[in-house]
Amino acid sequence: MIEKIDKRVRAAQFRQRLSRAMEDTGVSQSGLARHIGVDRSTVSQLLTDEGARLPNAHVVGSCASALGVSADWLLSLSDRPESAAELLASSLTMTEAPRALVDERIFQWHQEAAGYKIRYVPATLPDMLKTRAILEWEYAPHLGRTADQAIGASEDRLSWMRSAQSDYEIAMPLYEIRSFALGTGYYEGLPLPVRLEQIDHLLDLSEQHYPRLRIYLFDAKRLYSAPVTIFGPLLCVFYAGSHYMAFRDRDRIEVFSRHFDTLIREAEMTARRFPEYLRGLRDEIAKG
């Protein structure tokens, strides 16, 4: 709900913000008058009139356009001076997502959010928790000679997670980890020894780094989530296959943070029980 502001207060704020915008942009009264098509005396009156009257919409809009700010900000309807187009451009960005692990943008986002909780719904098993054998099986066909470099990048991210002051919460569909263990679906053809090694690796990481690393499993028949990473209050990034879609506006980040809260709250397998579930899967496939 928009807070009601007394007419005199709004008029005073308009004068203050108009003066500030002119100072920030180096525009004089004469220059602004030329830009908006009025006499210099009219601009002088806009800046000095002590009454409660505001200029008409055309004048406000022309001033906003000339000074590169939003009309809503001049009228105290917004605390952000940027125009709507600028706000949209800064709050939503699209970044190419190559089929590779060498992606400095991802690493930069993690570094930017150091000290904040990082919450993650991966598309498959989390890259930074995969063994080298899994990474080679999954990415070598796409990366060719750059596979070693890409795998090194994944290992660097795991090292960063171990040393950074960020907590990591990872939520995955329960079927994802089971499909991996059984070598079905996406993981069809993955040799049993490689799967067993990966399970042991996950067990080691989840036990060594708990509670700073917490892995939850949710039931995809009841809950759904697209692949997404929420970097504290700073950034929310969706993985759309060929591109990342990144939001920086507070409202959207809060919405998707609440979505992640639901995944955790209604998880079939909590972070405390995750190692127990993994051991059960390991026993099942080792005997089978």
Side-chain angles (χ1 to χ4, degrees), residues 60-239:
V60 173
S62 297
C63 288
S65 178
L67 298 171
V69 296
S70 74
D72 282 352
W73 179 73
L74 286 177
L75 294 171
S76 298
L77 297 174
S78 168
D79 292 328
R80 301 289 297 271
E82 302 95 330
S83 67
E86 290 171 327
L87 284 172
L88 182 60
S90 65
S91 67
L92 171 61
T93 58
M94 297 285 286
T95 304
E96 188 175 357
R99 180 65 168 162
L101 295 172
V102 183
D103 191 338
E104 290 303 319
R105 177 61 62 88
I106 288 285
F107 197 27
Q108 288 168 5
W109 284 333
H110 280 263
Q111 291 174 312
E112 181 184 344
Y116 290 110
K117 183 187 292 184
I118 295 174
R119 318 180 85 187
Y120 180 35
V121 181
T124 59
L125 296 181
D127 280 341
M128 67 181 179
L129 305 185
K130 291 172 181 172
T131 63
R132 187 178 186 90
I134 292 287
L135 291 169
E136 288 175 345
W137 174 83
E138 187 172 16
Y139 286 102
H142 306 279
L143 301 175
R145 294 180 181 178
T146 65
D148 284 343
Q149 182 186 4
I151 291 167
S154 176
E155 293 168 348
D156 287 346
R157 282 182 207 144
L158 178 57
S159 297
W160 166 259
M161 185 204 73
R162 286 171 164 159
S163 62
Q165 298 304 308
S166 296
D167 285 357
Y168 281 77
E169 283 187 337
I170 298 173
M172 293 188 290
L174 194 149
Y175 75 79
E176 185 71 32
I177 194 73
R178 184 166 181 81
S179 176
F180 160 76
L182 298 176
T184 60
Y186 179 83
Y187 304 98
E188 186 175 355
L190 189 59
L192 177 60
V194 174
R195 286 179 273 141
L196 290 172
E197 180 192 24
Q198 176 66 68
I199 290 177
D200 289 340
H201 186 58
L202 278 175
L203 279 168
D204 287 343
L205 291 175
S206 60
E207 291 179 331
Q208 287 174 18
H209 298 289
Y210 182 86
R212 286 187 53 208
L213 170 64
R214 300 186 293 279
I215 302 174
Y216 299 81
L217 302 177
F218 60 88
D219 183 357
K221 292 192 294 292
R222 294 193 305 108
L223 301 167
Y224 171 76
S225 180
V228 60
T229 307
I230 304 166
F231 295 91
L234 308 177
L235 181 66
C236 177
V237 180
F238 281 88
Y239 176 61

Side-chain angles (χ1 to χ4, degrees), residues 181 192-193 195-197 199-200 203 276-288:
L192 177 60
R195 286 179 273 141
L196 290 172
E197 180 192 24
I199 290 177
D200 289 340
L203 279 168
E276 173 190 348
Y277 180 72
L278 271 185
R279 289 191 183 92
L281 275 179
R282 193 190 194 289
D283 291 343
E284 180 182 343
I285 63 175
K287 292 175 183 176

